[in-house]
Amino acid sequence: MNSPYLSIVVPCYNEEEMLDELYRRLKAVCLLLGRSYEIVFVDDGSKDRSWPILESLAAADPFVVAVALSRNHGHQLALTAGLQTCQGERILIIDADLQDPPELLPAMLDRMDAGLDVVYGQRRRRDGETAFKRGTAALFYRLITCLSEVPIPPDTGDFRLMSRRALNVLLAMPEHHRFIRGMVPWIGFPQAAMPYDRQCRYAGVSKFPLRKMVRFALDAITAFSTKPLILASWFGIGTALITLALAAYSLASWVGGNPVSEWMILIIVISLFGSLQLLVLGILGEYLGRMYEQTKNRPLFIIKNLLRWEPSPTLEISTDYSNVASAEFPDAFAQQGDR
Ligand code: UDP
Ligand code: MG
């Protein structure tokens, strides 16, 4: 089967009010492109009428693919199910609520034509979101930027266009706790931002309550940083320095003829053991961090380009030894000549 030029992947959870308008807008953009396409909707265990609506869309339109998950698996896994199902050469990820305008797609495709593998939407403004949501999101992106070893662009969501080769690498990362907006920058390849203004939800309410947001933030931090694991070492070093200062002060006053009080000795002993415990915890954290990295089983590296003659050259033999004689063994050949 020929793969379509474009796949649009949309995770949906209880989005019954959205689906008709969403389909209309996505379809209009696809028809404008004049290229082959598919729209992959993933129903993430909705409890409303989302699935019957998706079923009827898929029955009426051969360019619609509908996937239903067995239960609610969460946005990142629903998205992964869609990404695994889609077959396009270029893949657009978009939420069902039309906060991210699908009409940006032609401009994103143009940017990809210029040699990019990923064009990600970067929010300039976030209309219709509460101050709490914007505040916590801003804080979260600053925190993850400090902690993560790969730069994760701030104010980006999962609204992005990806090439097939970038998607294949993403799908080769089998980790369970997925933070896709961090995994994509981790892949590498040429990537660039497309600034846009995020709109209000077209209908319905956010499907990310505080509980899910906190879990998502924890997934992101633990997936992209082992720095919290070695926090104990830093506390241990701090406590060890304080212990040393106290011990030095006590020793100096003892040499000066002042008796050292019993409570001071007690504090020094307690903080000495405390700092030792923290340092050992930090060392355990270093090992645990390495084991954690290993269990994620990500590819060790990703090759961007490989230049090699195809088919491979056969054995190449030269019968002209004159260059070899003069260049590599000048003395030996000179001696033979002298004999
Ligand atoms: N979503 C999902 N599973 C969930 C929660 C959300 O598939 O468990 C989908 C939802 O239908 C939407 C997208 O993920 O298409 C983003 O959700 P939402 O717009 O509610 O998040 P927000 O924009 O408020 O962060
Ligand atoms: Mg939304």
Side-chain angles (χ1 to χ4, degrees):
M1 202 201 109
N2 282 345
S3 24
Y5 169 72
L6 174 75
S7 295
I8 301 183
V9 177
V10 200
C12 311
Y13 179 55
N14 293 342
E15 300 285 8
E16 62 183 2
E17 311 102 311
M18 284 302 316
L19 293 174
D20 287 332
E21 176 64 8
L22 174 68
Y23 169 71
R24 190 190 66 73
R25 278 186 52 190
L26 291 180
K27 185 85 188 168
V29 173
C30 290
L31 290 176
L32 260 182
L33 292 177
R35 307 289 296 258
S36 57
Y37 68 92
E38 62 177 1
I39 306 174
V40 180
F41 292 103
V42 182
D43 176 30
D44 185 16
S46 297
K47 292 171 185 70
D48 65 357
R49 292 194 56 261
S50 294
W51 178 245
I53 298 173
L54 291 179
E55 261 183 324
S56 57
L57 287 177
D61 185 340
F63 299 99
V64 170
V65 179
V67 183
L69 298 190
S70 59
R71 61 169 173 81
N72 180 238
H73 283 72
H75 173 253
Q76 299 288 290
L77 295 186
L79 180 55
T80 305
L83 293 174
Q84 217 149 59
T85 308
C86 74
Q87 297 176 318
E89 285 309 311
R90 293 178 173 195
I91 301 93
L92 177 75
I93 301 173
I94 190 166
D95 285 350
D97 56 6
L98 289 172
Q99 281 195 280
D100 311 312
E103 292 74 18
L104 271 185
L105 178 61
M108 292 167 108
L109 287 167
D110 281 350
R111 295 210 62 186
M112 191 169 264
D113 286 339
L116 295 172
D117 279 83
V118 178
V119 183
Y120 54 85
Q122 193 162 39
R123 300 152 187 176
R124 270 187 308 230
R125 287 177 41 198
R126 303 169 65 125
D127 287 344
E129 287 181 323
T130 60
F132 177 74
K133 176 118 186 170
R134 278 182 279 130
T136 46
L139 196 72
F140 167 70
Y141 282 110
R142 301 305 170 269
L143 183 67
I144 194 82
T145 307
C146 293
L147 290 176
S148 167
E149 275 96 39
V150 286
I152 296 176
D155 305 318
T156 55
D158 288 317
F159 178 48
R160 63 188 70 218
L161 181 69
M162 296 175 72
S163 67
R164 171 52 61 179
R165 72 169 178 170
L167 177 64
N168 285 346
V169 179
L170 181 70
L171 293 176
M173 296 163 78
E175 58 212 73
H176 284 205
H177 295 275
R178 300 176 83 74
F179 179 60
I180 292 175
R181 59 196 75 171
M183 292 162 78
V184 177
W186 183 91
I187 293 171
F189 293 140
Q191 311 202 2
M194 164 79 85
Y196 73 108
D197 296 330
R198 199 167 206 225
Q199 274 127 46
C200 315
R201 241 182 183 276
Y202 175 78
V205 291
S206 170
K207 307 301 180 298
F208 265 92
L210 187 61
R211 173 180 54 83
K212 277 192 182 175
M213 266 163 53
V214 170
R215 205 170 56 200
F216 187 54
L218 282 176
D219 278 351
I221 291 168
T222 51
F224 279 87
S225 180
T226 49
K227 285 181 187 157
L229 274 177
I230 52 167
L231 249 171
S233 295
W234 291 107
F235 284 128
I237 291 170
T239 334
L241 289 176
I242 293 171
T243 315
L244 265 177
L246 287 176
Y249 169 77
S250 307
L251 191 69
S253 63
W254 180 69
V255 169
N258 299 320
V260 180
S261 66
E262 282 168 1
W263 66 265
M264 179 58 98
I265 295 173
L266 200 67
I267 287 179
I268 291 173
V269 171
I270 290 174
S271 49
L272 177 71
F273 280 103
S275 60
L276 282 178
Q277 279 171 348
L278 286 169
L279 284 171
V280 171
L281 272 180
I283 294 169
L284 286 180
E286 289 284 357
Y287 281 92
L288 197 65
R290 281 161 179 74
M291 278 160 64
Y292 176 58
E293 290 298 334
Q294 180 81 37
T295 53
K296 275 195 277 187
N297 227 355
R298 287 185 188 171
L300 297 184
F301 50 81
I302 296 133
I303 294 177
K304 186 166 81 173
N305 288 319
L306 192 154
L307 303 179
R308 178 196 278 153
W309 284 75
E310 288 292 349
S312 304
T314 48
L315 189 61
E316 198 175 25
I317 297 176
S318 168
T319 48
D320 176 8
Y321 295 104
S322 55
N323 286 340
V324 181
S326 56
E328 291 185 20
F329 309 106
D331 294 343
F333 277 82
Q335 279 170 21
Q336 277 178 11
D338 290 346
R339 244 182 260 148

